Amino acid sequence: MTQAVGTNSTETKKDMELLERTQSVCPVCLDVIDARIVVQDHAVFMEKTCARHGSHLTYLWPDEDHYRWLKNFKFPHIRPGKSRPSLNGCPEDCGPCTSHQHHPRLVELELTQRCNLRCPVCFMAADDNQTHVETDLSMAAIERQLTAIMEQCGPQTSIQLTGGEPTVRKDLPDIIALCREIGFTAIEVNTNGVVISRDRNYLEQLAASGVTGIYMQFDGLDDRVFKQIRGANLLKTKFQAIENCRAIGLQMVLAMAVIRGINDDQMGRVLEFGLKNCDVIAGIAYQPAFGSGRFEITDNRPLTMGDAIYELSEQSNGLLSPYDFWPTGCSHPLCDATTYLLPQAQGLVPMSRIITVDDYLEHFNSASPQGSVLPDIADAMDPGHAPGLSILIMNYMDAMSLDLKRLRQCSMTVAGKDGSQIPFCSYQLTNINGLKRSELR
């Protein structure tokens, strides 16, 4: 699991152009406060002031024009089928409440807080003591939560089984089978890859039970990176997990936690690796780090989705440009961006250069999860096309960057024990000292 850094500047800059007003939270007390999205020197920032804890300025985007272009994409808002009353306002009433504007497309189900690693970067602050089985959800609790997800969200919803590290549970195949029995068809396991690299029989059990994909942490292509981010030399482990998935025909998505100065210079290399192994790797999810859980926030200008788009484009040797990445339409346009590299007669081409924006909106499928939006459109428009590589760049929010307008459009939720569906960035929200809202009351 991955998390990371946020800006914590109390400087108030002058000569800023106002783009829009919104609401955020104080990064110290987490109270809701007014915020302004502003431009200075062509870059985009969030400016906000708490009466008790002063002013804060957060860097959001490297280029004003690109920010405006991406934000102006318009998609239909399909509201949740079931919602809870809004009593105290966002983000207090997440569940989702009646103010929420998008139905969940992907729901994370946390099966355990145990893990077989202790990553320096972990938004879950997961426990590497594997004996703490009391953190595991019981099968009865899992069934209740899956049933609640089905009732609220429907069978088209993607389920991501996560933790902690879900593969520390020996009954994970049974849990996957239960997902199938309840009626879900898109079931993904979010893993560090350690167990599935060592135990191919276990991986075969997951496949036989009906798992549809593996979402595996993959932060670079040398052990220096893994040692810094995951606390161990894991490159060979990752390679073996990929080979095991290839051997049994199970597709993977590589999830790269991207941190400025540690591995942002390897985004292009990971892209090249994915293209060379696209028989088993269906996509790459780049996740710029954000402030939550276990990570020291030190960077006053952390890498954002906008930076990742520009840096990956620069590292792609001309294959990509920043304007090849379009919003997925699953959430707010600034929450995630995607492209799909398809083989054409002239070589690999981003799908955004093959279709128009009007084509995109016409064939947009509101049931598609984030990384599948463009592949699903490609399937609909050209059923016989050769498979490509899906690229997704995420833009998670923390206490410095939280924008309640964006939060109300979140479609990636975490299943609560009470049957609620909590937007991911709200669920993970901690203040700059790592404390959740409940711990500050």
Side-chain angles (χ1 to χ4, degrees), residues 109-176:
L109 180 57
E110 295 181 351
L111 303 180
T112 181
Q113 296 302 303
R114 295 183 292 142
C115 191
N116 48 13
L117 294 174
R118 184 173 176 82
C119 300
V121 179
C122 178
F123 59 61
M124 288 300 301
D127 188 354
D128 61 346
N129 186 337
Q130 295 186 55
T131 64
H132 289 176
V133 294
E134 68 274 7
T135 70
D136 291 4
L137 281 182
S138 68
M139 287 297 288
I142 292 169
E143 184 172 7
R144 285 196 300 272
Q145 290 199 29
L146 288 171
T147 301
I149 297 168
M150 177 61 72
E151 291 175 350
Q152 294 176 44
C153 307
Q156 77 286 349
T157 307
S158 297
I159 301 295
Q160 187 178 89
L161 302 175
T162 185
E165 172 53 47
T167 63
V168 301
R169 292 191 60 147
K170 295 181 179 179
D171 60 352
L172 184 57
D174 298 329
I175 296 170
I176 293 168

Side-chain angles (χ1 to χ4, degrees), residues 143-438:
E143 184 172 7
R144 285 196 300 272
Q145 290 199 29
L146 288 171
T147 301
I149 297 168
M150 177 61 72
E151 291 175 350
Q152 294 176 44
C153 307
Q156 77 286 349
T157 307
S158 297
I159 301 295
Q160 187 178 89
L161 302 175
T162 185
E165 172 53 47
T167 63
V168 301
R169 292 191 60 147
K170 295 181 179 179
D171 60 352
L172 184 57
D174 298 329
I175 296 170
I176 293 168
L178 179 60
C179 292
R180 286 283 187 176
E181 181 182 329
I182 289 175
F184 296 104
T185 57
I187 306 158
E188 186 175 59
V189 171
N190 186 336
T191 179
N192 57 33
V194 171
V195 171
I196 64 171
S197 73
R198 297 174 181 172
D199 191 345
R200 182 166 150 181
N201 179 63
Y202 181 85
L203 184 62
E204 290 174 342
Q205 291 179 49
L206 301 185
S209 297
V211 74
T212 52
I214 299 294
Y215 190 85
M216 186 179 75
Q217 299 163 355
F218 194 90
D219 303 318
L221 284 160
D222 62 60
D223 272 325
R224 172 193 61 83
V225 166
F226 285 107
K227 187 70 174 177
Q228 285 185 270
I229 297 179
R230 304 299 169 190
N233 296 329
L234 293 171
L235 187 60
K236 290 182 179 179
T237 295
K238 305 294 184 178
F239 285 164
Q240 188 59 56
I242 292 169
E243 289 305 316
N244 287 348
C245 284
R246 173 181 278 123
I248 66 172
L250 188 58
Q251 74 171 18
M252 309 181 78
V253 172
L254 303 184
M256 182 180 183
V258 190
I259 305 173
R260 191 188 298 279
I262 293 181
N263 67 339
D264 58 320
D265 61 340
Q266 295 200 20
M267 288 191 289
R269 291 177 60 193
V270 171
L271 172 61
E272 183 180 0
F273 178 81
L275 289 170
K276 289 179 178 177
N277 293 276
C278 61
D279 61 308
V280 61
I281 297 170
I284 302 171
Y286 295 94
Q287 301 175 335
F290 67 105
S292 171
R294 185 168 59 236
F295 196 85
E296 182 180 358
I297 300 174
T298 59
D299 195 342
N300 282 336
R301 191 164 173 134
L303 188 115
T304 68
M305 183 173 90
D307 296 304
I309 288 172
Y310 274 86
E311 289 195 23
L312 180 58
S313 298
E314 290 173 3
Q315 295 173 30
S316 71
N317 297 316
L319 186 60
L320 296 166
S321 81
Y323 289 86
D324 287 325
F325 292 90
W326 293 354
T328 67
C330 299
S331 301
H332 189 281
L334 296 174
C335 285
D336 41 40
T338 187
T339 193
Y340 187 41
L341 290 170
L342 281 169
Q344 301 288 293
Q346 66 271 41
L348 290 167
V349 179
M351 191 172 168
S352 46
R353 299 183 196 175
I354 300 172
I355 65 172
T356 66
V357 173
D358 287 341
D359 291 332
Y360 188 32
L361 297 177
E362 179 184 349
H363 291 89
F364 178 75
N365 184 349
S366 62
S368 297
Q370 296 151 317
S372 297
V373 170
L374 281 174
D376 287 352
I377 291 175
D379 291 344
M381 296 182 68
D382 182 12
H385 74 87
L389 183 73
S390 178
I391 303 172
L392 180 69
I393 302 181
M394 305 299 298
N395 198 21
Y396 296 126
M397 298 182 289
D398 56 24
M400 292 302 303
S401 61
L402 189 72
D403 183 334
L404 296 189
K405 286 184 179 179
R406 285 177 53 193
L407 189 66
R408 292 187 186 100
Q409 295 186 38
C410 180
S411 68
M412 178 180 173
T413 64
V414 182
K417 295 180 180 179
D418 61 352
S420 59
Q421 309 297 325
I422 306 170
F424 178 86
C425 291
S426 178
Y427 182 85
Q428 303 294 350
L429 183 65
T430 61
N431 74 354
I432 56 176
N433 299 311
L435 298 176
K436 288 185 174 288
R437 184 182 296 272
S438 60

Side-chain angles (χ1 to χ4, degrees), residues 17-19 38-45 61-72 310 323 334:
E17 175 191 353
L18 177 66
L19 285 183
V38 297
V39 175
Q40 186 177 58
D41 298 330
H42 212 55
V44 182
F45 299 83
W61 213 268
D63 183 88
E64 173 195 357
D65 293 337
H66 187 259
Y67 177 94
R68 289 177 181 269
W69 172 79
L70 203 67
K71 182 177 178 293
N72 283 338
Y310 274 86
Y323 289 86
L334 296 174

